[in-house]
Amino acid sequence: MNHFEYRNGSLFAEDMRVTALAKEYGTPLYIYSAATIKRHFKAFDSAFDGLDHMTCYSVKANSNLSVLKMLAEQGAGMDIVSGGELYRALKVGVAPEKIVYSGVGKRSSEIRQALEAGILLFNVESVAELLKINEIAKEMDTIAKVSFRVNPDVDPQTHPYISTGMQKNKFGLDIQHSLEAYKMTADLDHVEAVGMDCHIGSQLTSIDPFLEALEKLLDFYKELKGLGIDIQYLDLGGGLGISYDEEEPPHPNEFGRALTYMLKDVPLKVILEPGRVIVGNAGIMVTEVLYTKSNPTKNFLIVDGAMNDLVRPSLYGSYHRIAEVEQNGRNTEEYDVVGPICESSDFLARERELPRVVDGERLVVYSAGAYGFTMSSNYNSRPRACELMVDGDTVSVARKRETYEDLIENEL
Ligand SMILES: *Cc1c(COP(=O)(O)O)cnc(C)c1O
């Protein structure tokens, strides 16, 4: 699936044998499939062909320049959450008028940077931020376009750490405060309210919470219209889930059909901010078994990929499918797959049935393309992994493996 397939018992990434790549580039190793990224983007974007829309890929899911460049070439806009992500988006040639800027804590310097670049709009998450943007736009003698991120108070039925659209979450403004913010904007000279935004969470496996949120937003839109506040953009955020294990998330077409139906008579340009659904299953992480060991209750596979490389299992208890790179046909055993880091939370999988593996064999960790490398760190002074982009039978190094010199480069 997704261009990661076995041929005669050997795992291939498109037309490249993974074992050969691991030998040449070392492990832990991220491998992305260009064909998969392009296919996912096209499938998502075309699901909304019936609507005037713009697909702004969420850069934080995977911000490697090779990935961003490929998506920009497919026509993607970008959803950014920092000045660093703006820098990356501009670097690969994304038109500023296709960039939207989200996030609760934009710094003054980042707001200035975005205004200088001429981005499409800011998704504003508080009145204090609105006033800050107004002040900076005034200094720069310009007018900033804003949407308010409305927190619709719906339960996305996902992991609490990645649910964002409930009252208890730090994100956005509830509808009452949003209303006040729109009214306030009308009295400020350097901000203009052009849209409405929401992003209720990530890894959603049903479209119902999206539709529930959309209904609330549409009611609010009508209320605003009645008050003479007219907007042009409706941003529905990202959050569509993927299959890590047994989940059966809706296909983008189902999502597209439902939104198209609900929005067919609404004269707004729709913005979508998918991240995980584009890149999640377009990447794998390859790791080598360093040691095996057993105690009376457990078998451990100690591998060279750790929580600093892929933190999702440690952070959210996430499931990632794991298998052998070279199928060995042995009987299975129950293992904890753990990394070398000095934390008991350093694991990639717990109590997992895997064919018996010996030292030196390699494992593939699937669905590592989103929130994998972008969440990596140097904890335990481990240089970050290498990232490869495979396109058919060509391989390019999307990011070199870090060296020890890289680790200390900024230290005095
Ligand atoms: C993280 C994020 C997204 C992307 O979420 P996915 O679940 O990866 O699709 C989109 N919009 C905002 C504001 C985000 O914070």
Side-chain angles (χ1 to χ4, degrees):
M1 66 160 183
N2 294 314
H3 297 277
F4 298 106
E5 281 172 334
Y6 289 98
R7 298 185 191 168
N8 296 321
S10 282
L11 184 66
F12 275 69
E14 300 200 15
D15 294 325
M16 296 301 300
R17 193 173 164 196
V18 169
T19 294
L21 296 176
K23 280 184 183 155
E24 182 163 353
Y25 297 97
T27 51
L29 178 66
Y30 276 96
I31 304 176
Y32 307 128
S33 154
T36 309
I37 294 173
K38 289 186 226 172
R39 178 163 61 82
H40 286 177
F41 178 76
K42 207 168 159 60
F44 188 93
D45 190 51
S46 64
F48 298 90
D49 277 348
L51 294 172
D52 181 13
H53 79 285
M54 181 160 79
T55 303
C56 293
Y57 167 71
S58 174
V59 173
K60 74 179 192 289
N62 186 324
S63 57
N64 187 285
L65 294 181
S66 303
V67 173
L68 300 185
K69 185 143 198 293
M70 187 169 294
L71 289 168
E73 284 166 2
Q74 305 294 303
M78 304 264 153
D79 168 46
I80 58 165
V81 294
S82 71
E85 288 189 352
L86 175 58
Y87 179 77
R88 286 178 179 274
L90 295 174
K91 198 87 181 167
V92 299
V94 179
E97 60 274 12
K98 285 184 172 178
I99 298 177
V100 298
Y101 189 170
S102 307
V104 287
K106 305 175 187 78
R107 305 164 64 105
S108 300
S109 58
E110 293 175 311
I111 293 168
R112 205 166 288 120
Q113 182 191 351
L115 285 172
E116 270 162 15
I119 65 162
L120 179 65
L121 56 83
F122 293 88
N123 287 325
V124 172
E125 306 214 15
S126 63
V127 168
E129 181 191 337
L130 176 72
L131 294 174
K132 179 66 80 181
I133 293 175
N134 185 63
E135 178 191 316
I136 295 170
K138 184 175 179 190
E139 278 165 30
M140 293 174 65
D141 195 23
T142 186
I143 294 173
K145 289 189 275 180
V146 302
S147 285
F148 289 102
R149 177 165 177 177
V150 178
N151 183 331
D153 195 26
V154 300
D155 185 349
Q157 312 276 353
T158 185
H159 191 284
Y161 288 7
I162 51 177
S163 99
T164 55
M166 293 162 81
Q167 198 120 74
K168 64 183 177 194
N169 300 130
K170 69 178 175 180
F171 297 98
L173 292 155
D174 62 79
I175 290 192
Q176 193 51 43
H177 284 98
S178 299
L179 180 62
E180 286 160 24
Y182 280 101
K183 287 182 182 163
M184 183 185 278
T185 307
D187 294 330
L188 295 169
D189 291 335
H190 293 273
V191 278
E192 181 193 355
V194 295
M196 186 184 289
D197 166 50
C198 93
H199 170 72
I200 56 173
S202 200
Q203 183 56 13
L204 273 70
T205 51
S206 154
I207 59 173
D208 296 342
F210 288 113
L211 301 185
E212 194 187 329
L214 179 55
E215 259 173 45
K216 291 192 178 182
L217 258 59
L218 288 177
D219 285 345
F220 184 40
Y221 166 64
K222 283 180 204 136
E223 187 181 348
L224 287 179
K225 211 159 182 183
L227 294 168
I229 299 168
D230 214 3
I231 58 169
Q232 306 148 48
Y233 298 98
L234 177 62
D235 184 336
L236 294 170
L240 198 59
I242 63 169
S243 179
Y244 286 94
D245 184 12
E246 312 264 80
E247 306 96 324
E248 288 180 4
H251 189 276
N253 281 337
E254 189 189 329
F255 188 42
R257 262 197 307 277
L259 293 190
T260 304
Y261 178 76
M262 282 181 78
L263 292 165
K264 61 183 187 304
D265 298 321
V266 181
L268 292 174
K269 178 158 183 162
V270 175
I271 298 174
L272 300 147
E273 303 172 347
R276 190 188 312 267
V277 71
I278 307 292
V279 291
N281 277 325
I284 57 174
M285 188 180 82
V286 182
T287 186
E288 183 174 315
V289 177
L290 300 174
Y291 303 105
T292 56
K293 77 172 184 184
S294 300
N295 67 26
T297 58
K298 288 230 177 235
N299 299 310
F300 294 98
L301 289 180
I302 301 162
V303 299
D304 66 1
M307 65 187 289
N308 76 297
D309 301 300
L310 180 67
V311 77
R312 298 188 69 259
S314 311
L315 187 60
Y316 312 121
S318 306
Y319 180 98
H320 283 262
R321 208 154 60 81
I322 295 180
E324 335 86 281
V325 168
E326 299 292 334
Q327 290 179 322
N328 61 29
R330 296 185 202 123
N331 292 335
T332 64
E333 194 93 63
E334 188 179 276
Y335 289 111
D336 278 15
V337 183
V338 303
I341 284 184
C342 307
E343 303 277 346
S344 290
S345 61
D346 179 27
F347 63 93
L348 297 176
R350 280 184 167 156
E351 291 161 15
R352 189 71 63 87
E353 285 290 328
L354 286 169
R356 228 172 325 110
V357 188
V358 298
D359 305 357
E361 281 184 281
R362 297 184 188 87
L363 299 175
V364 51
V365 182
Y366 286 101
S367 312
Y371 308 105
F373 188 89
T374 51
M375 284 187 152
S376 66
S377 77
N378 289 126
Y379 188 38
N380 278 207
S381 285
R382 289 167 50 87
R384 280 188 182 76
C386 174
E387 293 174 282
L388 297 180
M389 178 68 73
V390 172
D391 191 351
D393 59 4
T394 61
V395 182
S396 46
V397 176
R399 194 177 199 271
K400 286 191 290 190
R401 183 175 302 285
E402 287 181 353
T403 62
Y404 293 147
E405 292 76 54
D406 293 330
L407 287 180
I408 59 165
E409 191 176 51
N410 294 322
E411 295 174 31
L412 299 179

